[in-house]
C-alpha cells in the first residue's frame, strides 16, 4: 500500500472560525479558554478529515495562531528582547506579530517584528530577529501538546517542523558585525531537545520543512546542512520536505544527509522527478508532491498516475503520495459553494477535495481497479475543458497577438511629465496622501452584503455608498491631507473587486485563504480570457472628486498583482494572463483621465512576490512583468500622474526593474523596517518620486508625531526632499477610524513641522 499524507491543512476553519475567534480575543471580547476551544475544534475536524480519507498519517504542528514561522520562534524560546517579559505565552506571540495582544491592555505596545512574504506566495510570515548573544531553549509546548491531542483522538501522527537552516535563513540580523549562521550550533541543541521529546511521544516520522533548498544557496549555507542533520539525528525518522521549485541543484548535498526520505514539489517542478528518483539513496522514501497545494483546479488523476508509474515500478512502497506543499494556500471546502454552475464546480478542488485526490491517486498507483475507474471518471471535466471554446475569445486573442513595444510607452519621459504635473496638480513640498482604502466598518460590510443578497436596490446601494465616500472625503479634508482617495467602500478586496468586474473570472463565496494572522483573502479564479466590458472605477472616483477641490486619486490594482493574488489558469502562460489584464487596465486609465482624474495609482504590491525562486529565471519574468505594468499606464497623458504601490518586498535585487516601471510616484512599506528598505536606494539613483511609508498600518499602535518626523528625516538622507511624499505604508481598511484619524493627524503634523524647517 502506498503511504499517503499531506504537508499541512488550512488552520482558519471552513468559515474562518479562527479569524473571528482571534479578533474577538484581540478586542477583549473573549478569553484564552474560548480562543483555544475554537482552535481545538478546527484541529479535531482537520485530523478527522485526513483519517476519513484513509491517509497514512494525520499531520500535526501545522496549526498556527498567527503564522508558523512565529510559532517556531516561540517553540525555540527565541523572542525579540523588547518583547521578553517572563515565560512566553500566547500574548507574547501576539505582541511580536502585531505590536500588542489585546485592546484591553491599555498600552501602545512595543513595535511588532518585521513581516514579509513566504517565498513567492501571498502568505506572510513574521521575520525572526537574530543577535550575536541569542539563546534557544524549548519554552513553548504547543507542538507537543497538539501531538498528544491528535494521538488521544486515535491518529497516527506525523509532526511538521520548520527546519533549522530555513529558520535561520528566513530571519535577519538586527545588529551589525555578525553572521546569523554562527548561531547554528546553539540552534541545533534546541532541535536535539525537540527530537528527544518526539521520541518520548513515540513519533515514527517527522516532516522537516527546508524550503530554502529550492533556492540557489551559496556554499556556506549548503555545507551547513550536512552538519545540521548529523547533529539532530535520532531514532525519529526524518522526511525532508522541499517545495515551490526544483531541488535538482541541491541533490548532491541532499543525498548525503542523515535523513530517511525526501519530499519534492511535482506541481511547481514536475521535470525534476526522473533525476530525483535516479539519485535517491536505496534506503530512502520519496514523497511525490503530486497534488497541487497552491491552485484550485481539479487534478487530472489519469495524467498524474501515468507520470508516476515509472517511479512506482522502481521504488515500490518507498514511493509516497502527498500534496505539493501545505494546503494552507488553498481554500478549505468546495462543497460550501452554492453559487457555481455544475460545470464550473466540476473544474475545481479545494483543500478538502485535494485530500481525497491524494487517497484516490495512491490507490490507483497500487492497481486498485475501482480507484483506476474513479480516477478516469473524476478527470473527465478537466480533460473536456481543454477543448472548450468558451474560455478562448477571438477579440482578446487578436489584441494580444498584436502587442508591440509601442503599446508599453507613454507619450513623454519622466522629466517632461513631471513639469506638466507640477503645473496642473500644484502640490506642496512633501505632499501627503494615503495608499487607497479607509476603514471597512461593519456598516460598510453589511451594506455590501445586503446588496449582494438583493435586499437593496441598485439606487439604494449607490446612495449609501456615496454617503460613505462623502464621509471619507470630509474626514481627509479635516485632517489636511493633500491628495485624497475615495476610500473604496464599494470594494471587498483590491483584487476580487476587479475580478468581479472583468469578464474571465470566477469568484467564490467561501474560498478564503489565510494571508497572515486573522487576515484572509478570497482569491478569484481565472477561468477564461480576460476583458473589460465597461468602466469599473470611474463612476465612484468621479463622484468623490465632485466633493472636493483637492486632487482625487483613482485607484487600480495592477496586472501582476491581480495575477499573483488570483488562482491562474493552467492552460496558458502567466505572461499571457498578465497581458490580458494590462490591456483591460489601460482602457480604465484612459476613461479615468477623460473623467478629470489627474492622479491614478496602479498598485503592484506583488511584483516582487511573483519572482521565480531561482535568480537565473528572474530576468525573463521581470521583463514581461514590467512591460505589462507599462502597458497598463501607457494611455496616461503627460499631465496624468501615475502612482504605484509596493509593500513588504525586498527591493535590492529588483531595483532596476522597479525604476523601469517608470511610475511618476512609487509608495513603499518602510515604517515597520525603520526605513531599512530604503537601503536599496542608497547606491541606486532612483529617478522619480517616492513615498516611503511612515505609518505601519498592520499594527494597532498609533505612531507619534516625533516618530513620523524622524522617519521622514531619515528618508530625506536618501531621497531628495523635493521628490519625497509622506504616506502610510499600505491601505487602511483593516484599521478602525479612531486609530486611523489620530495616526493621519500625526502624519500631517509631522509633515507641517518639516515644511516649516525647510521653508
Amino acid at each position: 500500500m502506498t503511504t499517503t499524507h499531506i504537508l499541512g491543512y488550512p488552520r482558519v476553519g471552513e468559515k474562518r472560525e479562527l479569524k473571528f475567534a482571534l479578533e474577538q480575543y484581540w478586542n477583549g471580547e473573549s478569553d484564552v479558554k474560548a480562543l483555544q476551544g475554537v482552535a481545538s475544534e478546527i484541529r479535531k475536524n482537520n485530523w478527522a478529515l485526513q483519517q476519513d480519507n484513509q491517509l497514512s498519517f494525520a499531520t500535526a504542528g501545522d496549526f498556527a495562531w498567527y503564522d508558523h514561522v512565529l510559532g517556531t520562534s516561540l517553540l525555540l524560546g527565541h523572542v525579540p528582547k523588547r518583547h521578553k517579559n517572563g515565560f512566553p505565552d500566547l500574548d507574547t506571540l501576539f505582541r511580536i506579530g502585531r505590536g500588542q495582544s489585546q485592546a484591553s491592555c491599555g498600552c501602545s505596545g512595543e513595535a511588532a517584528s518585521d513581516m514579509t512574504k513566504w517565498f513567492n506566495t501571498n502568505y506572510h510570515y513574521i521575520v525572526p530577529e537574530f543577535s550575536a548573544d541569542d539563546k534557544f531553549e524549548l519554552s513553548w509546548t504547543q507542538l507537543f501538546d497538539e501531538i498528544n491531542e491528535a494521538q488521544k483522538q486515535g491518529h497516527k501522527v506525523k509532526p511538521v517542523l520548520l527546519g533549522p537552516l530555513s529558520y535561520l535563513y528566513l530571519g535577519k540580523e538586527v545588529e551589525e558585525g555578525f553572521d546569523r549562521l554562527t548561531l547554528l550550533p546553539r540552534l541545533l541543541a534546541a532541535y536535539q531537545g525537540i527530537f528527544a521529546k518526539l521520541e518520548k511521544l513515540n513519533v515514527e516520522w517527522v516532516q522537516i520543512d527546508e524550503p530554502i533548498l529550492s533556492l540557489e544557496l551559496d556554499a556556506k549555507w549548503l555545507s551547513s546542512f550536512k552538519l545540521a542533520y548529523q547533529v539532530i539525528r535520532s531514532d525519529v525518522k526524518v522526511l525532508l520536505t522541499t517545495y515551490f521549485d526544483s531541488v535538482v541543484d541541491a541533490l548532491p548535498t541532499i543525498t548525503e544527509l542523515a535523513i530517511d526520505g525526501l519530499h519534492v514539489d511535482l506541481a511547481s517542478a514536475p521535470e525534476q522527478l526522473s533525476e530525483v528518483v535516479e539519485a535517491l539513496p536505496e534506503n530512502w522514501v520519496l514523497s511525490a508532491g503530486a497534488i497541487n497545494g497552491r491552485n484550485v483546479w481539479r487534478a487530472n488523476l489519469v495524467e498524474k498516475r501515468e507520470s508516476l508509474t515509472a517511479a512506482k515500478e522502481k521504488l515500490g512502497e518507498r514511493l509516497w503520495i502527498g500534496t505539493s506543499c501545505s494546503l494552507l494556500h488553498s481554500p478549505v471546502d468546495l462543497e460550501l459553494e452554492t453559487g457555481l454552475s455544475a460545470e464550473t464546480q466540476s473544474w475545481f478542488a479545494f483543500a478538502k477535495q485535494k485530500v481525497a485526490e491524494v487517497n484516490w491517486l495512491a490507490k490507483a498507483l497500487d492497481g486498485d481497479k475501482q480507484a483506476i475507474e474513479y480516477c478516469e471518471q473524476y478527470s473527465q471535466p478537466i480533460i473536456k475543458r481543454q477543448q472548450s471554446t468558451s474560455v478562448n475569445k477571438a477579440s482578446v486573442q487578436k489584441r494580444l497577438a498584436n502587442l508591440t513595444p509601442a503599446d508599453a510607452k507613454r507619450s513623454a519621459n519622466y522629466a517632461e511629465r513631471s513639469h506638466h504635473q507640477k503645473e496642473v496638480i500644484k502640490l506642496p513640498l512633501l505632499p501627503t496622501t494615503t495608499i487607497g482604502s479607509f476603514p471597512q466598518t461593519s456598516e460598510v460590510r453589511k451594506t455590501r452584503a445586503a446588496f449582494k443578497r438583493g435586499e437593496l436596490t441598485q439606487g439604494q446601494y449607490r446612495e449609501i455608498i456615496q454617503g460613505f465616500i462623502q464621509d471619507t472625503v470630509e474626514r481627509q479634508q479635516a485632517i489636511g491631507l493633500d491628495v485624497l482617495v475615495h476610500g473604496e467602500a464599494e470594494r471587498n478586496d483590491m483584487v476580487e473587486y476587479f475580478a468581479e468586474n472583468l469578464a474571465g473570472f470566477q469568484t467564490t463565496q467561501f474560498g478564503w485563504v489565510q494571508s497572515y494572522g486573522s487576515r484572509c483573502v478570497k482569491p478569484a479564479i481565472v477561468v477564461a480570457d480576460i476583458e473589460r466590458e465597461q468602466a469599473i472605477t470611474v463612476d465612484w472616483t468621479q463622484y468623490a472628486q465632485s466633493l472636493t477641490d483637492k486632487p482625487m486619486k483613482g485607484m487600480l490594482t495592477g496586472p501582476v498583482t491581480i495575477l499573483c493574488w488570483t488562482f491562474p489558469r493552467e492552460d496558458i502562460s502567466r505572461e499571457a494572463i498578465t497581458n490580458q489584464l494590462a490591456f483591460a487596465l489601460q482602457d480604465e486609465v484612459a476613461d479615468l483621465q477623460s473623467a478629470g482624474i489627474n492622479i491614478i495609482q496602479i498598485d503592484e504590491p506583488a511584483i516582487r512576490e511573483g519572482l521565480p525562486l531561482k535568480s537565473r529565471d528572474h530576468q525573463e519574468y521581470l521583463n514581461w512583468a514590467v512591460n505589462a505594468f507599462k502597458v497598463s499606464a501607457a494611455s496616461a497623458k503627460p499631465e496624468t500622474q501615475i502612482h504605484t504601490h509596493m509593500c513588504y518586498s525586498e527591493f535590492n535585487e529588483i531595483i532596476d526593474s522597479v525604476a523601469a516601471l517608470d511610475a511618476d510616484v512609487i509608495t513603499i512599506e518602510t515604517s515597520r523596517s525603520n526605513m531599512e528598505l530604503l537601503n536599496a536606494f542608497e547606491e541606486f539613483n532612483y529617478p522619480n518620486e517616492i513615498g516611503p511609508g511612515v505609518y505601519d498600518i498592520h499594527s494597532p499602535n498609533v505612531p507619534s508625531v516625533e516618530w513620523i518626523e524622524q522617519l521622514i528625516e531619515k528618508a530625506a538622507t536618501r531621497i531628495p526632499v523635493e521628490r519625497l511624499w509622506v504616506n502610510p505604508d499600505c491601505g487602511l481598511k483593516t484599521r478602525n477610524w479612531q486609530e486611523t484619524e489620530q495616526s493621519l493627524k500625526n502624519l500631517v503634523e509631522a509633515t507641517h513641522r518639516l515644511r516649516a524647517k525647510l521653508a
Side-chain angles (χ1 to χ4, degrees):
M1 298 290 291
T2 297
T3 298
T4 53
H5 69 124
I6 60 173
L7 270 59
Y9 199 77
R11 54 257 192 158
V12 293
E14 287 188 347
K15 294 186 178 180
R16 297 180 292 161
E17 291 88 347
L18 182 63
K19 168 191 171 63
F20 301 120
L22 283 169
E23 291 173 356
Q24 285 176 343
Y25 180 73
W26 293 339
N27 292 333
E29 298 167 2
S30 69
D31 58 17
V32 169
K33 185 176 180 180
L35 177 60
Q36 290 176 333
V38 171
S40 179
E41 188 66 21
I42 291 171
R43 292 193 296 268
K44 178 182 176 182
N45 292 338
N46 291 354
W47 293 327
L49 172 69
Q50 294 168 61
Q51 185 176 59
D52 291 345
N53 282 279
Q54 302 172 37
L55 297 194
S56 306
F57 297 101
T59 300
D62 54 340
F63 179 84
W65 295 104
Y66 204 86
D67 95 83
H68 58 273
V69 181
L70 179 54
T72 304
S73 292
L74 269 287
L75 169 66
L76 297 166
H78 184 226
V79 176
K81 293 179 175 64
R82 63 188 178 279
H83 291 293
K84 284 186 177 178
N85 184 20
F87 197 83
D89 58 14
L90 198 54
D91 288 329
T92 309
L93 184 147
F94 293 143
R95 286 195 297 270
I96 298 170
R98 59 192 300 270
Q100 64 176 237
S101 178
Q102 287 186 304
S104 60
C105 75
C107 58
S108 60
E110 295 288 349
S113 290
D114 201 3
M115 181 166 66
T116 195
K117 295 293 178 72
W118 175 250
F119 295 86
N120 56 354
T121 74
N122 190 30
Y123 180 78
H124 301 67
Y125 73 93
I126 298 298
V127 180
E129 300 175 13
F130 296 111
S131 302
D133 60 351
D134 279 351
K135 297 178 181 178
F136 305 93
E137 54 186 354
L138 301 189
S139 54
W140 175 251
T141 62
Q142 179 184 340
L143 173 66
F144 313 112
D145 294 342
E146 290 175 8
I147 293 170
N148 249 319
E149 186 181 358
Q151 288 175 336
K152 287 179 180 178
Q153 292 172 22
H155 302 293
K156 184 178 181 181
V157 178
K158 180 204 62 179
V160 55
L161 180 65
L162 183 62
L165 273 303
S166 289
Y167 179 72
L168 275 178
Y169 190 92
L170 294 169
K172 68 174 185 179
E173 293 95 353
V174 292
E175 58 185 42
E176 296 182 3
F178 98 103
D179 180 353
R180 62 187 179 275
L181 194 52
T182 61
L183 298 173
L184 183 60
R186 279 178 250 170
L187 180 61
L188 293 178
Y191 272 81
Q192 286 177 318
I194 294 172
F195 271 77
K197 284 183 175 291
L198 294 180
E199 283 188 46
K200 289 182 179 178
L201 290 168
N202 298 314
V203 169
E204 180 185 3
W205 281 92
V206 60
Q207 171 188 321
I208 302 273
D209 286 1
E210 291 284 12
I212 65 169
L213 285 166
S214 295
L215 306 176
E216 293 167 318
L217 297 175
D218 62 31
K220 71 173 184 176
W221 283 93
L222 270 177
S223 62
S224 297
F225 273 89
K226 189 170 184 179
L227 167 66
Y229 283 86
Q230 284 176 337
V231 169
I232 64 175
R233 181 67 177 166
S234 74
D235 289 338
V236 179
K237 295 179 182 177
V238 172
L239 178 69
L240 187 76
T241 315
T242 65
Y243 36 82
F244 300 150
D245 208 332
S246 170
V247 294
V248 167
D249 293 353
L251 272 179
T253 296
I254 293 172
T255 53
E256 292 183 353
L257 301 183
I259 58 176
D260 304 280
L262 173 66
H263 173 91
V264 294
D265 181 343
L266 298 181
S268 295
E271 71 282 353
Q272 67 181 315
L273 178 60
S274 58
E275 288 188 64
V276 171
V277 170
E278 189 64 30
L280 197 74
E282 289 185 6
N283 59 329
W284 285 17
V285 303
L286 174 63
S287 170
I291 302 302
N292 193 347
R294 288 184 61 177
N295 212 334
V296 295
W297 295 96
R298 174 180 290 208
N300 183 337
L301 294 178
V302 173
E303 187 179 81
K304 298 287 184 188
R305 177 173 176 258
E306 290 173 354
S307 69
L308 289 166
T309 296
K312 178 65 177 176
E313 290 175 351
K314 180 171 182 177
L315 300 176
E317 291 190 354
R318 290 196 294 133
L319 180 69
W320 293 13
I321 298 297
T323 52
S324 62
C325 60
S326 172
L327 292 172
L328 76 89
H329 306 289
S330 174
V332 180
D333 186 7
L334 182 63
E335 294 173 6
L336 298 175
E337 301 298 325
T338 58
L340 301 177
S341 69
E343 180 187 31
T344 302
Q345 191 154 8
S346 73
W347 295 340
F348 305 142
F350 291 178
K352 181 178 179 181
Q353 289 71 43
K354 289 176 185 295
V355 173
E357 288 181 343
V358 168
N359 177 41
W360 285 110
L361 175 59
K363 286 183 174 180
L365 279 166
D366 288 336
D368 184 306
K369 290 184 179 179
Q370 181 183 2
I372 292 171
E373 291 176 3
Y374 175 84
C375 289
E376 290 175 351
Q377 180 184 8
Y378 180 84
S379 303
Q380 286 310 302
I382 208 71
I383 293 171
K384 290 178 180 177
R385 186 183 176 279
Q386 295 171 3
Q387 281 76 47
S388 173
T389 57
S390 64
V391 300
N392 300 305
K393 303 169 185 175
S395 59
V396 178
Q397 296 291 328
K398 182 179 179 181
R399 194 173 185 184
L400 209 60
N402 293 331
L403 177 64
T404 69
D407 290 307
K409 289 184 178 179
R410 293 186 66 178
S411 59
N413 61 32
Y414 169 72
E416 184 179 343
R417 299 196 310 262
S418 179
H419 175 73
H420 282 290
Q421 291 159 18
K422 283 180 171 62
E423 286 189 341
V424 172
I425 306 173
K426 295 181 171 41
L427 294 172
L429 185 69
L430 296 171
T432 57
T433 190
T434 64
I435 301 306
S437 61
F438 268 85
Q440 296 262 321
T441 63
S442 59
E443 291 81 5
V444 170
R445 294 193 299 271
K446 287 175 183 176
T447 298
R448 288 200 307 264
F451 179 60
K452 279 195 169 185
R453 291 193 299 266
E455 297 169 6
L456 295 173
T457 66
Q458 181 72 43
Q460 290 170 327
Y461 175 70
R462 177 183 174 82
E463 184 177 350
I464 296 172
I465 294 294
Q466 284 184 340
F468 291 136
I469 292 172
Q470 182 174 354
D471 176 63
T472 300
V473 171
E474 289 173 353
R475 289 177 190 254
Q476 292 174 85
Q477 292 197 118
I479 290 167
L481 292 167
D482 300 308
V483 174
L484 313 187
V485 296
H486 78 289
E488 304 179 14
E490 80 287 2
R491 304 186 191 185
N492 44 11
D493 175 82
M494 65 181 290
V495 171
E496 186 178 21
Y497 177 74
F498 285 90
E500 289 174 338
N501 288 279
L502 289 168
F505 285 94
Q506 177 64 60
T507 57
T508 63
Q509 296 165 278
F510 298 103
W512 296 100
V513 178
Q514 185 185 33
S515 182
Y516 62 88
S518 68
R519 172 75 171 139
C520 298
V521 294
K522 188 151 60 72
I525 308 164
V526 183
V527 295
D529 284 342
I530 298 162
E531 59 183 339
R532 189 193 77 140
E533 296 175 330
Q534 60 186 10
I536 302 169
T537 67
V538 175
D539 188 38
W540 299 118
T541 311
Q542 193 172 28
Y543 171 73
Q545 183 65 84
S546 73
L547 301 173
T548 180
D549 293 330
K550 289 190 173 183
M552 181 63 57
K553 184 164 55 172
M555 298 300 306
L556 306 177
T557 303
V560 176
T561 297
I562 295 177
L563 169 78
C564 289
W565 293 357
T566 55
F567 293 113
R569 289 166 64 180
E570 295 180 340
D571 56 332
I572 63 174
S573 70
R574 294 166 72 232
E575 178 183 0
I577 296 170
T578 308
N579 284 333
Q580 291 177 6
L581 287 162
F583 276 127
L585 292 167
Q586 184 185 94
D587 296 342
E588 189 74 9
V589 168
D591 284 351
L592 278 168
Q593 67 184 355
S594 295
I597 305 303
N598 290 320
I599 303 179
I600 301 171
Q601 184 169 307
I602 306 175
D603 285 337
E604 281 292 23
I607 197 163
R608 168 64 180 80
E609 162 190 325
L611 275 175
L613 295 189
K614 293 183 170 59
S615 59
R616 60 176 176 259
D617 301 324
H618 285 185
Q619 199 55 52
E620 180 185 0
Y621 159 78
L622 288 168
N623 288 344
W624 60 256
V626 168
N627 194 71
F629 178 89
K630 295 173 73 173
V631 169
S632 302
S635 58
K637 299 173 183 176
E639 61 268 26
T640 299
Q641 190 175 70
I642 295 294
H643 290 222
T644 192
H645 171 67
M646 300 178 183
C647 57
Y648 299 103
S649 294
E650 298 293 339
F651 296 112
N652 302 62
E653 60 192 274
I654 64 164
I655 189 65
D656 290 333
S657 296
V658 171
L661 295 173
D662 197 27
D664 299 301
V665 182
I666 178 175
T667 53
I668 61 174
E669 178 278 323
T670 50
S671 60
R672 181 172 285 213
S673 61
N674 198 23
M675 292 289 162
E676 283 183 14
L677 290 182
L678 281 185
N679 293 340
F681 298 90
E682 283 186 334
E683 297 181 4
F684 184 89
N685 185 22
Y686 187 74
N688 303 4
E689 298 176 44
I690 185 166
V694 295
Y695 162 26
D696 175 14
I697 67 86
H698 293 89
S699 169
N701 295 343
V702 173
S704 68
V705 173
E706 292 73 22
W707 170 257
I708 294 173
E709 193 173 358
Q710 67 93 8
L711 284 180
I712 301 171
E713 289 177 330
K714 194 171 184 178
T717 64
R718 294 171 171 85
I719 306 294
V721 69
E722 63 271 12
R723 291 198 276 118
L724 271 180
W725 285 61
V726 182
N727 46 263
D729 62 9
C730 204
L732 296 159
K733 65 182 293 184
T734 60
R735 303 268 54 92
N736 63 47
W737 272 112
Q738 183 179 357
E739 297 165 352
T740 295
E741 289 190 292
Q742 186 57 57
S743 297
L744 293 179
K745 285 176 182 177
N746 291 354
L747 181 151
V748 170
E749 173 62 23
T751 304
H752 287 170
R753 288 187 187 182
L754 285 171
R755 285 177 187 164
K757 287 181 184 180
L758 296 167

